[in-house]
Amino acid sequence: MFFPKTRLISYGLLASTGAETFVSQPRSSWSVCLGWRRKAGILPSLEDLLFYTIAEGQEKIPAHKFTTALKATGLRTGDPRLKECMEMLKVTVKTTSDGALDRHLFKKCVQSNIVLLTQAFRKKFVIPDFQSFCAHMDELYVKAKNMSGGQVADYIPQLARFSPDLWAVALCTVDGQRHTVGDTKVPFCLQSCVKPLKYAIAVHDHGTEYVHRFIGKEPSGLRFNKLFLNEEDKPHNPMVNAGAIVCTSLIKVMNFMNKLAGNEYVGFSNATFQSERESGDRNFAIGYYLKEKKCFPEGTDMTSILDFYFQLCSIEVTCESASVMAATLANGGFCPITGERVLSPESVRDTLSLMHSCGMYDFSGQFAFHVGLPAKSGVAGGILLVVPNVMGIMCWSPPLDKLGNSVRGIQFCTDLVSLCNFHNYDNLRHFAKKLDPRREGGDQRVKSVINLLFAAYTGDVSALRRFALSSMDMEQRDYDSRTALHVAAAEGHAEVVRFLLEACKVNPVPKDRWGNTPMDEAVHFGHHDVVTILRDYHTQYSPQESTGDDKTNAEKNLDGML
Ligand code: DON
């Protein structure tokens, strides 16, 4: 009978010395590295480590294997930050007979972008297990795709052209990890999704105080194009048409859009612009009302501003390029795929605040309640969603509900937050755990097991109480199938044993890899008090008389011991 009392400590130390990078690698690859390190007497370079990680013991890496492995991390070969690497790869592969790279050629290709590549392959991005996260996104996409209902907007004739079946989701993380599903290459107009972007630019250019001399910060509670001002005769906020038209008078050029999108697709639909202008009586009425109430800066030409407003609504994006815009907001104003600072932190903070409170019009309160993230909808069917410090998402499907928001987009956002702990208030302590994709599955599990079993090992009941309160699985096991109850019984921590049994109702007779139960541990290490607790609990909760032949080793030993 093997009693592995000390194994956990060695495992825990390994995991806690930052060596988990190796632990998480296939043993074959990191033992090769360690062996290589010993032989050469020097630390392997990052390029060498990367080569061994991808080569998996082979002498060469086929170029397609490298690019496939790269995409699995979420990075694209078209990512501007990998330009040098991809160009060198293209040239280098041509010099080989088999399209495969040995260690020397591989180093030549990756060395110019080695820091980003190392982060990617060491799973140090915000979504470490990107592939499984994307699988979840695809499931949510399919669920929303099956939804019917809603109407494609037609008050701007050009919008009515789009099929109600179009549905796309694209995401970009703050580390530039990309995922798309559905009609993500189809261009569509931002419409009101442009409002937070132009507000951000106005605050970036002029500062919060100046911009809000002209525009309020309160939800209007009215439809987006209501001819209505607040008690100061200002537009309620920059997310309704009145506020957006005034905001348009505060900005000059729009090259920001390209920077926000990381130079990905940003176009212009002249047909929509003309259609907007021809069907824009309501907006002209708003414009003249704003002019009458002196809402614009001195000297503003209202009709030119309206033209500019219509042009901005007619800016074309794809879901992909718009997701980068959203990610720039999620990333504090830095574009994740270019690294360029586009917006000031102040402008991003202000924009996300008003998206959160006013971005979804008359649905803003419910969206803040159920989804709890900054978002902005548009009449073309877009929803720009920001998960601060994590990612930006653009959902797009033309059919709108009666409040003017995309039916499928709302469903997707709601399901996303039901699955992942992205809601603004999901981070409360002791909150029921949802999927946290920012933690690698294995990584989170490993740390959780180590924390649990170390608390049992040290007899730390208060820590165990905290874990139980945060709905941790108190029966989880390490790789030897050892549970907290095994460890506590082996160490003789009677109070911990009692807590696990009576408060957490854990299984009293789990077996580890060697067939040991907690009772075996207590008997072997001579902890009589724990033996009594386990025995009494067992008798109380499984009172049927044992026939003797189903007794565990401990119970047989026990007969001799008591
Ligand atoms: O000014 C308008 O009415 C449109 N160009 C934009 C309105 C819009 O997108 C409302 N969103 N739900």
Side-chain angles (χ1 to χ4, degrees):
M1 183 69 70
F2 174 60
F3 289 91
K5 201 174 164 191
T6 56
R7 265 180 79 94
L8 175 71
I9 298 174
S10 58
Y11 180 83
L13 287 178
L14 178 62
S16 62
T17 55
E20 68 275 10
T21 313
F22 290 106
V23 170
S24 63
Q25 298 305 329
R27 205 172 286 277
S28 56
S29 62
W30 61 263
S31 58
V32 168
C33 297
L34 293 175
W36 190 87
R37 183 191 303 188
R38 264 201 301 282
K39 191 171 59 184
I42 53 169
L43 278 173
S45 68
L46 287 176
E47 292 88 342
D48 290 324
L49 279 175
L50 190 56
F51 179 83
Y52 284 115
T53 303
I54 300 171
E56 295 174 315
Q58 303 303 310
E59 289 300 314
K60 287 187 175 183
I61 299 174
H64 66 80
K65 181 174 182 180
F66 170 54
T67 52
T68 303
L70 179 70
K71 286 171 189 165
T73 69
L75 292 187
R76 284 184 169 173
T77 52
D79 188 314
R81 299 167 295 171
L82 295 173
K83 185 168 175 286
E84 298 83 1
C85 173
M86 291 302 138
E87 283 173 355
M88 182 58 77
L89 181 65
K90 205 168 168 183
V91 169
T92 306
V93 165
K94 286 179 182 152
T95 66
T96 67
S97 57
D98 56 0
L101 306 169
D102 63 18
R103 192 157 63 84
H104 171 69
L105 290 179
F106 180 81
K107 283 180 78 167
K108 209 170 105 184
C109 292
V110 301
Q111 60 193 3
S112 47
N113 304 127
I114 189 58
V115 173
L116 180 62
L117 290 167
T118 301
Q119 271 189 310
F121 283 97
R122 278 189 170 172
K123 294 180 178 272
K124 296 302 177 190
F125 284 158
V126 69
I127 305 290
D129 190 353
F130 195 67
Q131 285 185 297
S132 59
F133 177 71
C134 292
H136 285 304
M137 294 305 101
D138 292 349
E139 286 167 14
L140 300 186
Y141 167 84
V142 169
K143 179 182 170 190
K145 182 178 178 65
N146 297 329
M147 290 188 72
S148 57
Q151 292 293 321
V152 178
D154 56 10
Y155 76 99
I156 301 170
Q158 198 58 23
L159 295 176
R161 283 178 38 244
F162 286 87
S163 160
D165 300 327
L166 286 163
W167 170 223
V169 176
L171 66 92
C172 175
T173 72
V174 294
D175 290 313
Q177 296 166 286
R178 309 293 296 272
H179 182 61
T180 62
V181 55
D183 308 303
T184 54
K185 303 278 188 197
V186 177
F188 62 95
C189 289
L190 278 171
Q191 291 296 342
S192 284
C193 292
V194 81
K195 290 172 176 165
L197 307 179
K198 71 176 141 181
Y199 169 74
I201 292 158
V203 174
H204 177 83
D205 284 346
H206 304 291
T208 307
E209 191 279 327
Y210 177 77
V211 171
H212 287 288
R213 286 183 202 167
F214 301 93
I215 308 170
K217 307 179 191 113
E218 280 297 323
S220 69
L222 305 165
R223 284 196 65 75
F224 64 88
N225 57 0
K226 197 79 179 168
L227 197 58
F228 202 78
L229 301 178
N230 67 15
E231 64 286 352
E232 295 172 344
D233 271 348
K234 286 184 202 172
H236 288 81
N237 63 70
M239 305 299 163
V240 293
N241 283 19
I245 292 168
V246 171
C247 197
T248 305
S249 69
L250 304 177
I251 60 177
K252 298 179 185 64
V253 290
M254 282 319 295
N255 64 339
F256 272 94
M257 289 301 168
N258 293 311
K259 290 182 180 178
L260 283 166
N263 301 313
E264 292 196 356
Y265 180 73
V266 175
F268 178 73
S269 166
N270 191 51
T272 303
F273 167 56
Q274 300 302 337
S275 182
E276 286 259 13
R277 200 157 53 169
E278 283 147 25
S279 59
D281 293 349
R282 170 57 63 90
N283 283 323
F284 276 101
I286 293 172
Y288 280 108
Y289 186 51
L290 291 168
K291 184 179 174 189
E292 179 211 352
K293 294 292 184 181
K294 301 197 184 329
C295 295
F296 294 109
E298 194 68 36
T300 299
D301 171 5
M302 190 281 289
T303 48
S304 322
I305 290 301
L306 260 188
D307 250 12
F308 191 21
Y309 168 82
F310 292 139
Q311 287 164 19
L312 294 175
C313 287
S314 308
I315 286 179
E316 253 186 2
V317 293
T318 61
C319 267
E320 293 189 35
S321 57
S323 69
V324 180
M325 294 175 157
T328 301
L329 291 173
N331 197 34
F334 282 87
C335 177
I337 60 172
T338 62
E340 184 181 6
R341 169 185 279 295
V342 184
L343 294 168
S344 66
E346 176 194 21
S347 65
V348 173
R349 183 204 57 212
D350 293 357
T351 302
L352 296 183
S353 302
L354 287 175
M355 287 171 76
H356 195 104
S357 59
C358 314
M360 303 300 278
Y361 300 117
D362 317 359
F363 192 65
S364 295
Q366 291 197 67
F367 195 88
F369 184 84
H370 291 291
V371 180
L373 289 171
K376 183 71 199 82
S377 58
V379 75
I383 293 183
L384 197 73
L385 182 72
V386 178
V387 186
N389 302 315
V390 182
M391 67 179 68
I393 296 175
M394 177 57 120
C395 323
W396 172 59
S397 185
L400 307 177
D401 62 24
K402 59 184 186 315
L403 295 174
N405 299 311
S406 167
V407 172
R408 294 191 178 104
I410 292 288
Q411 185 63 49
F412 180 88
C413 295
T414 308
D415 291 343
L416 173 68
V417 171
S418 299
L419 173 71
C420 300
N421 63 344
F422 288 162
H423 189 290
N424 194 39
Y425 297 110
D426 271 342
N427 59 359
L428 291 174
R429 294 183 65 197
H430 311 314
F431 198 74
K433 287 272 178 277
K434 297 183 195 173
L435 170 70
D436 183 354
R438 287 159 285 195
R439 289 270 176 278
E440 187 189 355
D443 181 33
Q444 187 177 17
R445 218 172 25 254
V446 166
K447 287 179 181 166
S448 174
V449 167
I450 288 175
N451 292 337
L452 176 64
L453 270 57
F454 261 99
Y457 171 68
T458 55
D460 187 345
V461 180
S462 55
L464 290 167
R465 284 204 183 90
R466 277 202 312 278
F467 296 153
L469 266 173
S470 68
S471 67
M472 179 189 279
D473 173 5
M474 302 302 280
E475 294 188 287
Q476 54 188 324
R477 297 168 180 246
D478 72 5
Y479 51 52
D480 287 335
S481 228
R482 309 266 300 156
T483 65
L485 192 57
H486 278 106
V487 175
E491 296 301 322
H493 294 312
E495 194 188 348
V496 171
V497 169
R498 202 186 299 282
F499 173 75
L500 290 169
L501 292 174
E502 294 169 6
C504 304
K505 304 287 182 236
V506 299
N507 170 10
V509 287
K511 290 190 175 180
D512 65 13
R513 176 194 302 276
W514 299 278
N516 295 329
T517 64
M519 178 66 93
D520 293 328
E521 301 285 342
V523 169
H524 178 80
F525 292 104
H527 301 305
H528 299 266
D529 52 352
V530 173
V531 168
T532 307
I533 294 169
L534 287 165
R535 179 172 169 153
D536 293 349
Y537 186 85
H538 202 265
T539 311
Q540 186 184 356
Y541 287 95
S542 41
Q544 75 274 11
E545 267 308 301
S546 62
T547 55
D549 56 1
D550 62 346
K551 282 192 173 182
T552 65
N553 303 321
E555 284 162 339
K556 290 169 188 155
N557 299 340
L558 192 61
D559 293 344
M561 192 175 156
L562 295 180

Coordinates of all heavy atoms in Angstrom, one line a residue, residues 155-156 191-192 195 224 241 276 283 309 313 361 377-379 404, ligand 1:
Y155 N -37.0 53.0 -43.2 CA -37.2 54.4 -43.2 C -36.1 55.1 -43.9 O -36.2 56.3 -44.4 CB -37.5 55.0 -41.8 CG -36.2 55.2 -41.0 CD1 -35.6 56.4 -40.8 CD2 -35.7 54.1 -40.3 CE1 -34.5 56.6 -40.1 CE2 -34.6 54.3 -39.5 CZ -34.0 55.6 -39.4 OH -32.9 55.8 -38.6
I156 N -34.9 54.4 -44.0 CA -33.9 54.9 -45.0 C -33.9 53.8 -46.1 O -33.4 52.7 -45.8 CB -32.5 54.9 -44.2 CG1 -32.6 55.9 -43.0 CG2 -31.4 55.3 -45.2 CD1 -31.4 55.8 -42.1
Q191 N -24.1 53.4 -39.1 CA -25.3 54.1 -38.6 C -25.0 54.6 -37.2 O -24.0 55.2 -36.9 CB -26.5 53.2 -38.7 CG -27.0 53.0 -40.1 CD -27.4 54.3 -40.8 OE1 -27.7 55.3 -40.2 NE2 -27.4 54.2 -42.2
S192 N -25.9 54.3 -36.2 CA -25.7 54.9 -34.9 C -24.5 54.3 -34.1 O -24.1 54.8 -33.1 CB -27.0 54.7 -34.0 OG -27.9 55.7 -34.5
K195 N -21.9 56.7 -33.4 CA -22.0 57.8 -32.4 C -21.0 57.7 -31.3 O -20.4 58.7 -30.9 CB -23.5 57.8 -31.9 CG -24.5 58.2 -32.9 CD -25.9 58.0 -32.4 CE -26.9 58.6 -33.4 NZ -28.3 58.1 -33.2
F224 N -34.7 57.3 -30.3 CA -33.4 57.9 -30.6 C -33.6 59.2 -31.5 O -32.7 60.1 -31.4 CB -32.6 56.9 -31.4 CG -33.1 56.5 -32.8 CD1 -32.9 57.3 -33.9 CD2 -34.0 55.4 -32.9 CE1 -33.4 56.9 -35.1 CE2 -34.5 55.1 -34.1 CZ -34.3 55.8 -35.2
N241 N -29.9 61.0 -31.6 CA -29.6 61.8 -32.8 C -29.3 63.3 -32.5 O -28.3 63.8 -33.1 CB -30.8 61.7 -33.8 CG -30.8 60.4 -34.5 OD1 -30.2 59.4 -34.1 ND2 -31.5 60.3 -35.7
E276 N -30.0 58.8 -46.9 CA -30.2 59.5 -45.6 C -30.7 60.9 -45.8 O -31.6 61.4 -45.1 CB -28.9 59.5 -44.9 CG -28.4 58.1 -44.3 CD -28.7 58.0 -42.8 OE1 -29.4 58.8 -42.2 OE2 -28.2 57.1 -42.3
N283 N -34.3 64.5 -39.1 CA -33.0 65.0 -38.6 C -32.9 66.5 -39.0 O -32.3 67.2 -38.2 CB -31.9 64.2 -39.3 CG -31.7 62.8 -38.6 OD1 -31.9 62.7 -37.3 ND2 -31.4 61.8 -39.3
Y309 N -23.0 64.6 -40.6 CA -23.7 63.6 -39.8 C -24.1 62.4 -40.6 O -23.9 61.3 -40.3 CB -24.9 64.2 -39.0 CG -25.8 63.2 -38.4 CD1 -25.5 62.7 -37.1 CD2 -26.9 62.8 -39.0 CE1 -26.3 61.7 -36.5 CE2 -27.7 61.8 -38.4 CZ -27.4 61.3 -37.2 OH -28.2 60.3 -36.6
C313 N -22.9 58.4 -40.6 CA -23.8 57.3 -40.5 C -23.6 56.3 -41.6 O -23.8 55.1 -41.5 CB -25.2 57.8 -40.5 SG -25.7 58.6 -38.9
Y361 N -30.6 52.7 -26.4 CA -31.8 53.5 -26.4 C -32.7 53.1 -25.3 O -32.3 52.9 -24.2 CB -32.5 53.3 -27.8 CG -31.6 53.8 -28.9 CD1 -31.1 53.0 -29.9 CD2 -31.2 55.2 -28.9 CE1 -30.3 53.5 -30.9 CE2 -30.4 55.7 -29.9 CZ -29.9 54.8 -30.8 OH -29.1 55.3 -31.8
S377 N -26.1 50.2 -30.4 CA -26.8 49.5 -31.6 C -26.9 50.5 -32.7 O -26.8 51.7 -32.5 CB -28.2 49.1 -31.1 OG -28.9 50.2 -30.7
G378 N -27.2 50.0 -33.9 CA -27.3 50.8 -35.1 C -28.5 50.3 -35.9 O -28.8 49.1 -35.9
V379 N -29.1 51.2 -36.7 CA -30.4 50.8 -37.4 C -30.1 49.9 -38.5 O -30.9 49.2 -39.1 CB -31.0 52.1 -37.9 CG1 -30.3 52.7 -39.1 CG2 -32.5 51.8 -38.2
G404 N -35.6 48.9 -31.9 CA -34.6 49.4 -32.8 C -33.3 48.6 -32.7 O -32.2 49.1 -33.2
Ligands
DON1 O1 -30.1 59.4 -38.2 C1 -30.7 58.3 -38.3 O2 -31.9 58.1 -38.1 C2 -29.9 57.1 -38.7 N1 -28.9 57.5 -39.7 C3 -29.2 56.4 -37.5 C4 -30.2 56.0 -36.5 C5 -29.9 54.7 -35.9 O3 -29.0 54.0 -36.2 C6 -30.7 54.3 -34.7 N2 -30.2 53.0 -34.2 N3 -30.9 52.2 -33.7

